[in-house]
Amino acid sequence: MKIEVNVDENATDLRICVTCKRLTSDVEKMIAVLRMLNHQLTAKQGDEIYLLDTAKIIYIESIDRKCFIYTSDEVYESEFRLYELERQLEEYGFFRASKSMLIHLHHIQSLKADLNRRIRVTMTNGEQIIASRQYAEELKKRLGVI
């Protein structure tokens, strides 16, 4: 792989050009990481690839080593692992609520204490998510509840 950077003082916008023999999963991942800089995340639905605005993502769930991204009306699949998404999205208001779940703090509707120091989180789409006790205290701190 060669990386080439051209500095042009007359350029009005940043332009990134990727030249490859074929579109592989590694190239798709690299493009997805670059899109994150623009607050977008690439995700699949069927055989189509979508660009999702991170502000519209309500939560992300990992099931059987696959990550699913939930918006208010659609479900998408991501090529990334949950820990990779966590690193990429942390600065955009996402929080690890359990071993298999990332939630978008801006889409929390309400919190309710649950058994064993867990927290039942209701999201803006009505979905109820359990924040495990391992992450519950940090969630309350992030939200300014304690």
Side-chain angles (χ1 to χ4, degrees), residues 40-56:
Q40 290 181 323
L41 185 66
T42 57
K44 290 183 180 182
Q45 193 178 59
D47 59 349
E48 292 186 65
I49 297 174
Y50 292 86
L51 300 176
L52 303 178
D53 184 357
T54 55
K56 294 183 179 181

Side-chain angles (χ1 to χ4, degrees), residues 97 103-105 107-114 118-124 126-132 139 143:
I103 59 174
H104 197 182
L105 297 174
H107 285 281
I108 292 176
Q109 184 174 329
S110 66
L111 303 173
K112 183 177 180 183
D114 206 32
R118 299 181 308 176
I119 299 174
R120 183 175 304 273
V121 182
T122 303
M123 305 303 288
T124 53
E127 190 74 32
Q128 291 193 347
I129 295 168
I130 301 295
S132 68
L139 175 60
L143 295 172

Side-chain angles (χ1 to χ4, degrees), residues 15-61:
R15 180 177 176 208
I16 298 173
C17 179
V18 177
T19 306
C20 56
K21 190 171 188 173
R22 64 182 184 274
L23 193 60
T24 64
S25 62
D26 286 340
V27 173
E28 286 179 347
K29 264 190 174 179
M30 181 179 64
I31 292 169
V33 169
L34 289 169
R35 290 200 188 282
M36 280 302 302
L37 297 173
N38 199 28
H39 305 286
Q40 290 181 323
L41 185 66
T42 57
K44 290 183 180 182
Q45 193 178 59
D47 59 349
E48 292 186 65
I49 297 174
Y50 292 86
L51 300 176
L52 303 178
D53 184 357
T54 55
K56 294 183 179 181
I57 298 171
I58 297 173
Y59 67 95
I60 302 171
E61 183 175 29

